[in-house]
Amino acid sequence: MADPARASRLAQRIKVIVAEALRRRVKDPRLEAVTITDARVTNDLQHATLYYTVFGDAEEQAATRTALESARGVLRSEVGKNITARLTPTLEFVPDEIPVNASHLEELLRTARERDAEVAAIAQGAKFAGDADPYRKPDEDDDAESGSPDTAK
């Protein structure tokens, strides 16, 4: 097994090689809008998972997935030519969900800001239900001191 640092370096190298091969070698028009966002390699350097994003609707994303699967052999041969590992890792392409998750988080943050603004507007004219300071203070409680057992000595 290789160390995790070597696997990480190999993953970054594979990411660059695949991105360049998609740009220069593969002539499929369905792959023009693909961006390779991340790559992970197992510690035994046998399998590489490449994460990609595609802008467009579900039909374009499905077409891109099909095109990546058909170009997998060409891309794997490019990786094999350009790395110095004994075995060429298998390639797996996974759609990257980070942009979708990021937009969902942005939506949640915007909703939270709107609710915070509503609460601040409501609190602007609010008054206390009782005294402004409901806690007892020692100088106001002369009766409590005279009746306590510690002060009777």
Side-chain angles (χ1 to χ4, degrees), residues 8-51:
S8 176
R9 286 192 310 268
L10 184 64
Q12 292 306 314
R13 180 73 181 132
I14 288 173
K15 179 175 120 175
V16 171
I17 291 168
V18 169
E20 285 294 317
L22 284 173
R23 190 170 63 89
R24 291 185 179 171
R25 183 126 192 262
V26 179
K27 301 297 183 198
D28 194 338
R30 298 175 292 182
L31 296 176
E32 290 178 359
V34 173
T35 302
I36 304 295
T37 57
D38 194 16
R40 307 250 169 99
V41 176
T42 57
N43 283 344
D44 61 357
L45 308 179
Q46 296 286 322
H47 306 286
T49 303
L50 294 152
Y51 296 92

